């Protein structure tokens, strides 16, 4: 095997390594918004995978496992690039955690392609064994390939436009005279990122549909978009990660300043209002509850709520709300009239939007599982 190293191939290889390193750094770094960095990590990993695949194609690098994987799933990863980018923007502009059902729906295009390729593999095995008849997998691939390549671009544009709409709705609510500095920085960074992705998406669409219309397959034709993607990987790796750190540091400082500026008596008044919204109004029963909803209900700033909770109660908004939900579940569990309702049902009725989240939060809170708690307090439910 002869590997051809020229400037183009070297740029591709280092771009793939840069994207891989950044995705791993994001995956294992400490941050309050875990979903946000996970989706950015997934997005960067796809770009790294694409650059490495182009490097193999251009340089002649070949490895049996990689060749088999690429022939089996040629487009599956690429189908997820729009999904990951959209979810990254969604977790940037929204404070609440994205439910698993939403994540599953967003990644449905990639999952559909994965299932199709697995079915095609099974079909190939059966055909080679003489257990089925029909066209060869090569013929199926020749029909599927142009459809998949066009669909990748269309799906990416769909998620890109959806991300732009999310950002536009979010940015319209920002008042530069009242909004904290870190939110303004986030808005500025996100806007630049969306503009960059729109330009890349336009070049990508021209490249893919041009190759389909004129049956172009040469590496020279695809070189511009690949170079642009590599430059983007370097840019987001240096500028993007640095910007994320600046935003995070300023957010920490802003929270501290807000708490310090709130007089003790004033802070206690806000704590009382927030607790009343839970004790009396039972806002925690809303599975889609966010700090913005509570702020709207109480007619005070979301940032002030977060600052007061962190400063006075030493806990974040999610931990504060989940404490009420756990107490609600425990109370319902010990009521004999709820004996016929499952633990999952009680959890959902108490405001949790995920059984897995309920199980995790309950164990952390009570140092035991819900079933163990119920077993120890079974007399109360009889």
């Amino acid at each position: 095997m002869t590997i051809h190293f020229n400037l183009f191939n070297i740029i591709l290889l280092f771009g793939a390594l840069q994207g891989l390193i950044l995705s791993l750094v994001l995956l294992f770094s400490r941050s309050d918004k875990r979903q946000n960095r996970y989706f950015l990590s997934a997005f960067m990993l796809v770009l790294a995978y694409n650059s490495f695949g182009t490097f193999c194609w251009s340089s002649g690098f070949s490895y049996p496992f990689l060749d088999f994987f690429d022939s089996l799933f040629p487009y599956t990863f690429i189908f997820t690039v729009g999904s990951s980018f959209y979810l990254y923007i969604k977790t940037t502009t929204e404070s609440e955690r994205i439910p698993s059902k939403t994540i599953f729906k967003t990644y449905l295009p990639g999952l559909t392609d994965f299932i199709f390729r697995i079915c095609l593999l099974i079909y190939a095995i059966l055909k080679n064994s003489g257990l089925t008849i029909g066209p060869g997998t090569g013929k199926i691939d020749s029909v599927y390939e142009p459809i998949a390549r066009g669909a990748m671009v269309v799906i990416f544009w769909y998620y890109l436009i959806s991300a732009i709409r999310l950002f536009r709705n979010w940015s319209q609510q920002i008042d530069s005279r009242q909004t904290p500095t870190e939110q303004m920085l986030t808005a500025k960074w996100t806007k630049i990122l969306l503009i960059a992705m729109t330009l890349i998406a336009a070049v990508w669409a021209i490249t893919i549909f041009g190759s389909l219309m004129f049956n172009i397959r040469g590496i020279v034709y695809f070189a511009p978009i690949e170079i642009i993607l590599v430059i983007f990987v370097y840019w987001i790796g240096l500028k993007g990660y640095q910007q994320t750190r600046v935003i995070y540091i300023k957010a920490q400082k802003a929270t501290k300043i807000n708490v310090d500026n709130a007089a003790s008596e004033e802070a206690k008044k806000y704590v009382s209002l927030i607790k009343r919204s839970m004790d009396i109004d039972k806002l925690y029963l809303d599975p889609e509850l966010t700090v913005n909803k509570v702020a709207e209900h109480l007619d005070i700033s979301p940032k002030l709520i977060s600052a007061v909770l962190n400063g006075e109660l030493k806990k974040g908004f999610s931990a504060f709300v989940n404490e009420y939900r756990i107490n609600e579940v425990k109370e319902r569990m010990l009521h004999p009239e709820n004996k016929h309702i499952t633990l999952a049902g009680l959890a959902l009725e108490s405001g949790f939007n995920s059984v897995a989240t309920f199980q995790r939060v309950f164990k952390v809170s009570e140092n035991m599982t819900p079933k163990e708690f119920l077993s120890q307090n079974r007399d109360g439910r009889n």
Side-chain angles (χ1 to χ4, degrees):
M1 176 180 61
T2 302
I3 303 176
H4 304 284
F5 280 103
N6 52 35
L7 181 59
F8 176 68
N9 293 334
I10 292 173
I11 291 174
L12 287 175
L13 181 58
F14 278 99
L17 290 174
Q18 167 80 3
L20 177 62
I21 292 170
L22 177 61
S23 65
L24 292 176
V25 168
L26 288 166
L27 190 61
F28 295 107
S29 64
R30 293 183 177 182
S31 171
D32 290 338
K33 300 187 72 173
R34 288 188 299 174
Q35 280 192 331
N36 183 257
R37 58 184 172 86
Y38 286 166
F39 292 130
L40 181 57
S41 175
F43 174 67
M44 295 305 301
L45 190 61
V46 174
L47 296 184
Y49 169 80
N50 176 74
S51 294
F52 183 72
T54 307
F55 164 77
C56 294
W57 178 29
S58 175
S59 67
F61 177 78
S62 178
Y63 190 76
F65 174 77
L66 293 176
D67 292 342
F68 173 75
F69 183 84
D70 187 57
S71 63
L72 186 59
F73 304 108
Y75 304 117
T76 302
F77 275 174
I78 310 300
F79 268 111
T80 68
V81 67
S83 307
S84 298
F85 183 76
Y86 167 77
L87 290 172
Y88 168 67
I89 298 298
K90 188 174 178 64
T91 52
T92 299
T93 57
E94 298 177 3
S95 57
E96 62 264 28
R97 184 179 178 83
I98 301 178
S100 300
K101 185 183 292 185
T102 301
I103 296 173
F104 175 81
K105 288 180 179 178
T106 308
Y107 278 109
L108 201 56
L111 182 62
T112 302
D113 181 78
F114 175 79
I115 293 173
F116 172 78
R117 302 304 299 187
I118 291 295
C119 291
L120 190 62
L121 175 63
I122 295 172
Y123 172 78
I125 294 172
L126 293 175
K127 185 169 179 60
N128 290 338
S129 302
L131 298 176
T132 186
I133 57 173
T137 54
K139 188 172 183 179
I140 296 175
D141 258 339
S142 66
V143 175
Y144 175 72
E145 181 184 1
I147 296 174
R149 289 167 64 191
M152 286 189 302
V153 178
V154 172
I155 289 170
F156 182 80
W157 267 101
Y158 168 79
Y159 282 121
L160 176 59
I161 292 171
S162 299
I164 292 172
R165 287 175 177 171
L166 275 179
F167 173 74
R168 185 178 298 169
N169 293 335
W170 175 69
S171 61
Q172 286 174 352
Q173 301 172 11
I174 295 177
D175 185 344
S176 59
R177 296 168 297 179
Q178 300 177 1
T179 302
T181 305
E182 75 278 1
Q183 196 168 12
M184 295 301 298
L185 286 171
T186 301
K188 182 179 179 182
W189 157 246
T190 308
K191 183 178 181 179
I192 294 172
L193 182 60
L194 285 169
I195 291 172
M197 286 310 304
T198 301
L199 295 174
I200 290 173
V203 177
W204 189 26
I206 293 170
T207 302
I208 293 298
F209 288 112
S211 69
L212 292 174
M213 290 174 62
F214 301 104
N215 195 27
I216 303 173
R217 311 241 347 142
I219 189 65
V220 175
Y221 179 76
F222 290 92
I225 183 62
E226 297 298 339
I227 292 295
I228 291 172
L229 286 174
V230 169
I231 293 173
F232 176 75
V233 169
Y234 280 111
W235 173 73
I236 199 173
L238 297 174
K239 181 66 176 177
Y241 184 69
Q242 178 189 25
Q243 187 77 7
T244 302
R245 292 298 302 163
V246 168
I247 291 169
Y248 176 74
I249 291 170
K250 285 186 176 291
Q252 295 294 93
K253 290 181 178 179
T255 298
K256 185 178 185 301
I257 290 171
N258 278 333
V259 175
D260 290 344
N261 288 344
S264 180
E265 289 300 319
E266 195 75 7
K268 288 178 181 178
K269 183 186 78 173
Y270 287 124
V271 168
S272 177
L273 281 174
I274 297 167
K275 285 186 174 181
R276 181 181 176 84
S277 72
M278 299 296 158
D279 294 325
I280 307 300
D281 302 324
K282 296 188 179 295
L283 296 186
Y284 61 86
L285 294 178
D286 178 6
E288 303 298 328
L289 185 66
T290 64
V291 67
N292 290 328
K293 285 186 177 181
V294 177
E296 185 177 347
H297 180 79
L298 298 176
D299 195 24
I300 58 178
S301 163
K303 179 59 68 175
L304 182 58
I305 292 176
S306 298
V308 168
L309 290 177
N310 281 286
E312 294 295 313
L313 303 182
K314 309 301 179 187
K315 62 183 69 174
F317 178 77
S318 294
F320 173 73
V321 174
N322 284 335
E323 189 175 284
Y324 278 90
R325 288 170 176 165
I326 289 296
N327 289 333
E328 180 76 18
V329 172
K330 286 161 58 178
E331 184 177 335
R332 293 183 182 228
M333 285 169 65
L334 301 180
H335 250 290
E337 64 184 28
N338 295 326
K339 190 174 181 180
H340 65 287
I341 304 177
T342 64
L343 292 177
L346 292 175
L348 297 176
E349 288 180 357
S350 301
F352 286 100
N353 60 12
S354 164
V355 177
T357 300
F358 160 64
Q359 296 279 359
R360 174 177 55 78
V361 172
F362 193 98
K363 190 168 184 178
V364 171
S365 172
E366 307 299 319
N367 292 319
M368 65 180 75
T369 65
K371 287 185 178 180
E372 290 171 343
F373 175 85
L374 186 58
S375 178
Q376 290 185 15
N377 298 273
R378 192 171 297 278
D379 291 342
R381 204 178 181 184
N382 290 333

